[in-house]
Amino acid sequence: MELAACSPKCSDSKVHCVPTVTLAGALVGRDSELAMLAALVAEVAAGRGSSVLIEGEPGIGKSALARAALTEAPGAGCQVFWGAGDELGQGLPLLPLLEGLRLHEPSANPRRNTIIRLLRGEVASDPGADVSAALAEQLLALIAEQCAIQPTILVIDDLQWADQGSITLWGRLARSVRQMPLLLVGMMRPVPQRDDLLALRRAAGDAARLHLTGLTQAAVAELVAALAGGEPDGNLLRLAEGAAGNPLYLTELVAALARSSSMTITRAGAAELRNASAPGSLPAAIADRLGFVRAPVREVLRAAALLGVHFAVPDLAMVLGRGVADLIPAIDEACTAGVLAESGNGLGFRHPLIRAALYDEIPVPVRAAWHRDAARALAEAGAPADRVARQLLRAVDGPGGPAEQTDEWILSWLARAAEPLVGQAPQVAAELLRHAVAGSPAGSAQHDRLVVRLADALYRLGDAAGAEQVASHALAQAVEPDLVGDLHWTLAQCRMRAGRFAECLATLDGALASPGISARHRARLLVLAARTHGILGANDKSGRVAATALAVAAEAGDNWAMGWALHVQTLVVSESAQMIDALPLYDRALTVTRGDPALTDLRLLLQINKALTLSDLDRYDEAFAAARQARHLADQVGMVIRRIQAHGALGQLFFDTGRWDDALAEVEALHEDLKEPIAACSDLGIGAVICFHRGEVAAARRHLAAAAPHAQRAGNRVIAPLSLARSLDREHAGTLPEALTVLTAGFTGKTEELDEIEYLLADAVRLAAKTGDLETARALAGHAVAFAAGSEIPHRQANALYCRGLLDHDAARLLAAADRYGDASRPLFTAKALEAGAGEFVAAGDRGQARAAFTRAVEIYASLGAAADVARLQASFRAHGIRRGPRSKHRQARSGWGSLTPAETKIAALVGEGLSNPEIAARLLLSRRTVATHVSHILKKLGVHSRTDIAREAALRSIASR
């Protein structure tokens, strides 16, 4: 939405043609700042992204500077998107980015079309789903896709008026600019001092911030000369000193002098001040400009001020009840007067302060009534819910808001629009619904429906106590069975979130006993009850209730309830001894959820859990296929939680199967701040474990430090990768009893922790045996044997063999464990079993078998890049005359081309061929974020700063190899 001058014919206007600031004049005194931004534009055009925050007081020239710097960007091959925060739309999530990326009308681009359908509520969402989070992920994906097409510049003006979601997204983009050709430009005033804006400033750092101050005395003289059309005399310069170097103030001051004939140009070309009567402040100067606008035009401008700094001309026509053609003369006149200017596909006030002056002069009660009429006009014309809500918010806020009884049209509109509005902007929806509920007749069907939506909005905002209060009060009056079911649903969710599971179940029992409840609502309430029983560890009860829910849902034809009931059943069966029986349930659930947009989130959850179940069965080829499908779908639909889980699942699979560089790329693909505590702990734990095995102790401990706050939020839950990493930390420090305690501290026997315990058993038995704690070792080995009893799963059989082999000092059993670990595709444990077996052979004096087992163990450790394990093993066996295995080519280099992993080498070559991250991802069947992580690692290892540098290095390697 870059502003450009309107071009009306001055001869047809009733307004004086006054001097207006030119683009060059606006940038007097900004040569160094302009050069800095021009350099950033050149950098992004060459493929090197960056970000910059431009700060300064109103009128200091932030927007003018950015517009001037970006003038040549299209010619340099860059595409420019320009959005701005809106004082009227601060409650609407992501508005600056949505408008800046021009997401208004249906598009042939699938990503844009998905975003538009989400905004319009045309994509059904799961109850309680965070639509704004989905929108944020879709926007990130869209920006990445735009960058893949050509270098992109995204400008967000007036960040001080942006919502918190936009600020958060800006920060996420700023952290990723080095991974794509994106120049991110933000502009904001020094106030307000919001916490999120302060955090953004701190994150940007001084290097990425540009603070504009007042012009120097010489620059002021130059600007006044350009504006006035002659060299200013001393009196004019003294008067200009009152503007404190503010370019907008100077512009308005000179324009005011010209309008009042207080300034004249001599024959010698000097600008002389004829009288010193001039506006004493910037607001006064703006008011002076507006004072020369005719009354009919001023009325049009006031209506435009209701719509915000930037507005669509058709919206203005709707608000005024006039045709667009009828407004053209007034718009031309306003442009000539320097009040309006073109803004993207619409119009905008030349500066927000001009709009504020017009808006503030409307009496508050009149303003509220006019906002209400504007909202109605937009609603009747079928405008999107967010544009109507923007007007209604100002209509209900403060004096002049609606009377005790809300207008009937507002109630009707909210009843229709509340559901998508709650999903997209729950804060805005909650505020409007509070007024609507208070202003509608209690006991009416419409009132009850609005209360249901209000409770839902409060729950999504995280106000579980408020939602519970609203729902509880409404239940005493609601009559319609399905509304009663919805209220019970929200009430149960609130109590579940608060950990009051018994109350949650009591609520659900009461709802299920309600007369007349539909089969659909009954099925959904049963699903929630089954999930609650599962959380409480009552798996048998959970399974029985889920089976009932499935039967009721099938009868009602409710795919949502069927899918979730099957999901609960998969969880119950997966935790049983026959987890293989969960696979048909997964397949049935995935069939039920296929093709229903409202079930996309559940489908992702099922796909991820299926992948993990397959890995627990050691069926890794199938597990990778399922996890990659989940990651691909999560990238497509933009669900951050599922995307994190899909990357985490792949990271775990790569770790288990020894592809550690790929594992690191997956767990680092998304920033830890985006992750839930357990996911963050798991991913950071995997990273730390790999670093400890590779001898990168400082890096491992950084991972542990980063995990600490997440672990605190996760409570006392056992998170196996993190527990293992903490144990390795103690083991590296030589405190083996503490290392063992870390692993055994969480062995409480809780059903939901069995998988975590199984993951830790082998290392716990090893440490217990090593420290001489045989009682603990035997108890833990008993767990391993119990897991393996009647099981055909290779790693379970291997665990039992390994633990018994350690206790019995049985080398043959340890070799058998190594073979079974190999069958399970788990190389780290294969090497550990071989290492233990080699030790037993040495003790038995069988140096031949000891050397063979030792050699195989070293080879596997080396293939993992586990330098610390190789060094430890070689040092341990050197005393027995077994000095080293074969000369394995395990990685030694820490930087330079030789330090790149095979995956990184392949990606660097493709970067050298000019492929974008999405193209590389498609070629290698990876996600864009995984590729971006690999590229980030390549940049760090090569010590370079851009994709161009990577391409140059790849080309040099190619030439050298010929």
Side-chain angles (χ1 to χ4, degrees):
M1 296 192 295
E2 185 177 354
L3 296 179
C6 295
S7 54
K9 298 176 181 176
C10 292
S11 58
D12 295 336
S13 174
K14 304 287 185 182
V15 180
H16 239 354
C17 279
V18 298
T20 58
V21 64
T22 64
L23 195 59
L27 291 173
V28 166
R30 302 295 189 206
D31 292 348
S32 62
E33 293 91 342
L34 185 59
M36 172 189 169
L37 292 181
L40 293 180
V41 171
E43 287 286 300
V44 76
R48 296 181 286 272
S50 58
S51 65
V52 62
L53 271 177
I54 306 174
E55 300 179 71
E57 66 183 30
I60 204 67
K62 302 182 292 295
S63 303
L65 174 66
R67 286 197 299 273
L70 302 184
T71 301
E72 304 300 324
C78 300
Q79 54 185 339
V80 181
F81 298 97
W82 189 302
D86 184 348
E87 193 174 9
L88 291 178
Q90 294 180 70
L92 296 166
L94 306 171
L95 186 65
L97 289 114
L98 291 167
E99 295 196 342
L101 290 164
R102 302 191 278 272
L103 292 159
H104 299 295
E105 300 300 328
S107 169
N109 180 297
R111 181 78 62 187
R112 287 178 171 272
N113 215 30
T114 297
I115 294 171
I116 291 166
R117 292 180 65 226
L118 274 169
L119 288 169
R120 294 181 173 182
E122 294 171 2
V123 176
S125 61
D126 187 28
D130 188 346
V131 176
S132 61
L135 279 171
E137 292 305 307
Q138 290 284 356
L139 287 171
L140 285 172
L142 176 62
I143 292 166
E145 289 169 1
Q146 295 293 155
C147 291
I149 295 170
Q150 66 183 112
T152 299
I153 301 173
L154 176 59
V155 184
I156 303 296
D157 203 349
D158 288 322
L159 276 169
Q160 75 279 354
W161 287 333
D163 62 285
Q164 188 171 359
S166 294
I167 300 299
T168 300
L169 194 58
W170 201 95
R172 289 176 64 184
L173 286 167
R175 289 195 295 269
S176 63
V177 289
R178 290 192 62 187
Q179 299 176 2
M180 52 186 167
L182 172 67
L183 173 57
L184 189 63
V185 182
M187 292 174 279
M188 61 182 176
R189 302 177 185 179
V191 292
Q193 295 286 316
R194 282 168 32 191
D195 289 344
D196 54 347
L197 294 174
L198 291 172
L200 193 65
R201 289 187 179 100
R202 288 193 298 269
D206 293 337
R209 291 171 60 191
L210 185 58
H211 185 74
L212 296 187
T213 57
L215 298 176
T216 64
Q217 189 173 3
V220 168
E222 185 181 347
L223 177 57
V224 172
L227 294 169
E231 289 298 319
D233 65 2
N235 291 330
L236 184 52
L237 287 177
R238 279 189 290 276
L239 183 64
E241 287 176 1
N246 186 295
L248 179 63
Y249 190 177
L250 289 166
T251 301
E252 295 300 326
L253 178 65
V254 173
L257 293 173
R259 284 191 295 269
S260 61
S261 301
S262 298
M263 182 181 64
T264 187
I265 306 297
T266 68
R267 290 184 177 180
E272 294 184 349
L273 186 67
R274 297 181 60 180
N275 69 68
S277 176
S281 66
L282 178 53
I286 290 171
D288 183 89
R289 177 182 291 276
L290 294 174
F292 279 76
V293 176
R294 293 183 305 120
V297 177
R298 197 181 189 96
E299 194 68 9
V300 171
L301 291 173
R302 283 175 170 171
L306 295 172
L307 298 173
V309 175
H310 309 281
F311 57 90
V313 176
D315 286 358
L316 179 61
M318 287 180 222
V319 169
L320 290 167
R322 295 163 61 180
V324 171
D326 294 337
L327 297 179
I328 290 177
I331 290 172
D332 281 352
E333 192 168 317
C335 289
T336 303
V339 177
L340 294 181
E342 291 179 14
S343 175
N345 294 325
L347 290 173
F349 289 93
R350 191 168 59 82
H351 195 279
L353 292 176
I354 298 175
R355 179 253 165 199
L358 285 160
Y359 187 78
D360 291 343
E361 73 182 20
I362 306 172
V364 173
V366 175
R367 189 191 305 163
W370 208 351
H371 274 300
R372 188 163 57 249
D373 291 345
R376 183 169 190 173
L378 292 170
E380 290 176 349
D386 65 301
R387 300 225 300 266
V388 179
R390 216 183 307 185
Q391 297 299 314
L392 278 181
L393 275 176
R394 294 301 174 127
V396 302
D397 185 21
E404 289 187 7
Q405 185 165 339
T406 305
D407 292 351
E408 180 59 33
W409 81 264
I410 295 178
L411 298 177
S412 299
W413 179 82
L414 266 177
R416 294 191 308 272
E419 187 171 0
L421 192 62
V422 165
Q424 180 191 349
Q427 185 174 345
V428 171
E431 186 171 345
L432 292 177
L433 286 164
R434 280 194 188 98
H435 286 278
V437 167
S440 63
S444 66
Q446 189 176 63
H447 178 274
D448 290 347
R449 283 194 291 273
L450 293 171
V451 170
V452 169
R453 297 300 173 213
L454 175 58
D456 185 20
L458 293 172
Y459 174 75
R460 295 193 197 212
L461 285 171
D463 183 6
E468 182 175 357
Q469 184 178 6
V470 169
S472 298
H473 180 73
L475 275 171
Q477 302 175 5
V479 176
E480 185 180 330
D482 284 350
L483 291 181
V484 170
D486 286 338
L487 289 168
H488 274 298
W489 173 277
T490 300
L491 195 59
Q493 292 273 53
C494 291
R495 290 170 177 170
M496 182 185 289
R497 178 178 286 183
R500 292 149 51 200
F501 299 111
E503 288 183 62
C504 174
L505 289 172
T507 300
L508 292 168
D509 289 342
L512 290 166
S514 301
I517 190 170
S518 68
R520 175 177 175 273
H521 274 77
R522 180 176 296 280
R524 294 187 173 209
L525 292 168
L526 284 166
V527 164
L528 190 54
R531 292 166 69 181
T532 307
H533 285 299
I535 291 170
L536 290 171
N539 278 358
D540 290 343
K541 179 71 170 176
S542 177
R544 290 195 300 273
V545 176
T548 303
L550 181 59
V552 175
E555 181 183 346
D558 183 359
N559 282 349
W560 187 96
M562 289 175 64
W564 279 103
L566 286 163
H567 166 67
V568 174
Q569 288 188 320
T570 63
L571 295 179
V572 171
V573 176
S574 293
E575 291 176 0
S576 71
Q578 300 299 321
M579 71 171 73
I580 194 169
D581 292 340
L583 295 180
L585 293 172
Y586 279 119
D587 292 337
R588 183 181 174 190
L590 288 167
T591 300
V592 166
T593 57
R594 184 178 294 119
D596 188 341
L599 295 176
T600 301
D601 181 65
L602 174 57
R603 181 173 179 79
L604 278 166
L605 181 58
L606 289 163
Q607 196 78 26
I608 292 164
N609 285 347
K610 181 182 180 183
L612 294 174
T613 300
L614 286 164
S615 72
D616 287 339
L617 293 166
D618 297 331
R619 292 163 60 168
Y620 278 100
D621 288 344
E622 296 169 79
F624 274 115
R628 286 186 175 115
Q629 287 174 16
R631 184 183 61 186
H632 178 69
L633 180 57
D635 283 339
Q636 279 188 318
V637 300
M639 291 182 174
V640 63
I641 292 176
R642 302 305 178 215
R643 182 179 288 165
I644 289 166
Q645 291 170 340
H647 280 286
L650 275 167
Q652 183 67 60
L653 298 182
F654 282 130
F655 175 77
D656 290 347
T657 55
R659 295 170 58 180
W660 286 2
D661 295 304
D662 291 328
L664 289 173
E666 293 295 339
V667 299
E668 295 173 5
L670 292 164
H671 195 274
E672 68 189 64
D673 290 346
L674 300 175
K675 302 176 183 179
E676 293 178 325
I678 292 174
C681 289
S682 181
D683 288 352
L684 288 165
I686 287 173
V689 169
I690 292 172
C691 289
F692 276 124
H693 280 289
R694 288 183 166 176
E696 300 165 0
V697 177
R701 288 177 173 159
R702 284 196 296 272
H703 284 301
L704 288 177
H710 298 290
Q712 188 174 6
R713 288 196 292 274
N716 297 321
R717 176 161 180 163
V718 177
I719 303 169
L722 183 59
S723 295
L724 185 57
R726 286 172 168 171
S727 177
L728 285 170
D729 188 28
R730 306 297 194 282
E731 191 171 355
H732 185 274
T735 55
L736 298 188
E738 290 183 24
L740 175 61
T741 300
V742 170
L743 295 183
T744 58
F747 287 12
T748 63
K750 292 182 181 178
T751 303
E752 65 270 21
E753 294 179 347
L754 289 179
D755 286 344
E756 307 294 331
I757 292 170
E758 182 183 5
Y759 189 87
L760 302 174
L761 279 174
D763 281 291
V765 171
R766 175 181 61 82
L767 286 170
K770 197 169 184 178
T771 57
D773 187 352
L774 296 182
E775 183 180 353
T776 298
R778 291 190 186 98
L780 297 174
H783 282 297
V785 171
F787 275 118
S791 174
E792 296 297 323
I793 300 172
H795 81 266
R796 286 190 168 176
Q797 294 179 349
N799 273 349
L801 289 166
Y802 177 72
C803 293
R804 293 308 310 172
L806 288 174
L807 285 174
D808 298 339
H809 301 284
D810 187 336
R813 187 173 284 176
L814 289 167
L815 290 187
D819 289 341
R820 261 338 240 154
Y821 279 131
D823 294 337
S825 301
R826 302 195 179 201
L828 177 61
F829 284 103
T830 302
K832 288 182 178 183
L834 287 166
E835 179 180 352
E840 296 300 336
F841 281 125
V842 166
D846 190 341
R847 293 170 58 84
Q849 293 219 60
R851 181 179 293 278
F854 164 82
T855 300
R856 287 176 60 197
V858 169
E859 287 177 342
I860 294 172
Y861 282 137
S863 71
L864 297 172
D869 295 304
V870 171
R872 185 200 68 254
L873 187 57
Q874 290 182 333
S876 173
F877 280 78
R878 191 175 297 124
H880 303 291
I882 302 175
R883 297 193 171 274
R884 62 182 302 147
R887 298 182 177 275
S888 305
K889 299 174 72 174
H890 55 279
R891 194 168 64 255
Q892 295 291 336
R894 298 296 179 90
S895 63
W897 191 270
S899 69
L900 300 186
T901 68
E904 289 165 353
T905 302
K906 189 179 297 184
I907 288 171
L910 293 175
V911 170
E913 293 177 19
L915 272 66
S916 66
N917 283 5
E919 290 169 333
I920 295 171
R923 177 83 63 89
L924 300 181
L925 300 178
L926 298 172
S927 79
R928 288 189 302 272
R929 280 171 174 74
T930 302
V931 173
T933 304
H934 278 304
V935 171
S936 179
H937 289 171
I938 294 167
L939 291 169
K940 184 177 180 180
K941 289 179 178 180
L942 297 183
V944 297
H945 303 291
S946 72
R947 298 173 71 88
T948 304
D949 296 330
I950 294 175
R952 183 175 61 252
E953 292 289 332
L956 291 173
R957 296 292 299 185
S958 177
I959 292 170
S961 65
R962 292 174 185 170

